[in-house]
Amino acid sequence: LQKTGPSFAGVALFGGPQDPQDAHSAGLLSATFSLNKAAFSYNEGITASFSRASGASTTDWVAIFPRSVTALSATNPATLWLYTCNSRTACSTAVAEGSVAFTSATSPEWPLSPGEYYADYFQNDGYARLSGVSRIAFTVDVEVKLTGAVDLSAAPVGCRPSVVLLAASVLAVLALLWK
């Protein structure tokens, strides 16, 4: 059992918030930002959730860019981006809380190539990160799927397990090389 001190609106009076969401609700955090996971398969949708206590604009946006990029700018743009209304068109009303989904339906540059990326939450069509928000590192991995079966009926009976192991090894090597 963890001991907690007195609190008001879910925020500990001594030692800080007990739950970051309670701190956000109480107006102590200006924004929150998260991804639905840290590693994605190739062509798997990516959902970014966000909220801000105040000051949302119709042009707040979420960006995805390679980890090799140290700072986004007009000359060094994001790989993928969406306004907080899940669109490439500015929102008709400000969205203070919600999520955006990067998929083939929302992003013409989809899918992301396998690699290491950051996701970030920016305000007012600019490159100023919201207070309290950190960019989030994630990866996109190669997904190799067998779509057919190997016919081993013509292979000598004693060789069949070796052929299956060889096929699996080749696929594993290809997946490593693709990365």
Side-chain angles (χ1 to χ4, degrees), residues 35-131:
L35 293 180
N36 56 322
K37 45 197 285 195
F40 298 87
S41 297
Y42 178 76
N43 206 24
E44 179 181 6
I46 298 168
T47 301
S49 299
F50 58 88
S51 65
R52 61 186 296 177
S54 62
S57 81
T58 59
T59 55
D60 290 346
W61 60 295
V62 175
I64 291 179
F65 53 98
R67 283 195 213 172
S68 59
V69 174
T70 55
L72 293 179
S73 67
T75 57
N76 199 19
T79 305
L80 299 174
W81 63 274
L82 290 168
Y83 287 113
T84 53
C85 54
N86 208 48
S87 172
R88 296 288 286 262
T89 304
C91 307
S92 57
T93 60
V95 180
E97 185 173 354
S99 63
V100 295
F102 292 95
T103 66
S104 60
T106 60
S107 302
E109 303 85 4
W110 190 260
L112 281 173
S113 298
E116 297 179 328
Y117 294 89
Y118 284 121
D120 216 335
Y121 179 28
F122 296 107
Q123 57 187 337
N124 299 323
D125 242 350
Y127 298 98
R129 184 178 294 124
L130 282 104
S131 176

Side-chain angles (χ1 to χ4, degrees), residues 21-33:
Q21 188 58 42
D22 291 338
H24 178 70
S25 299
L28 298 178
L29 294 177
S30 58
T32 62
F33 182 60

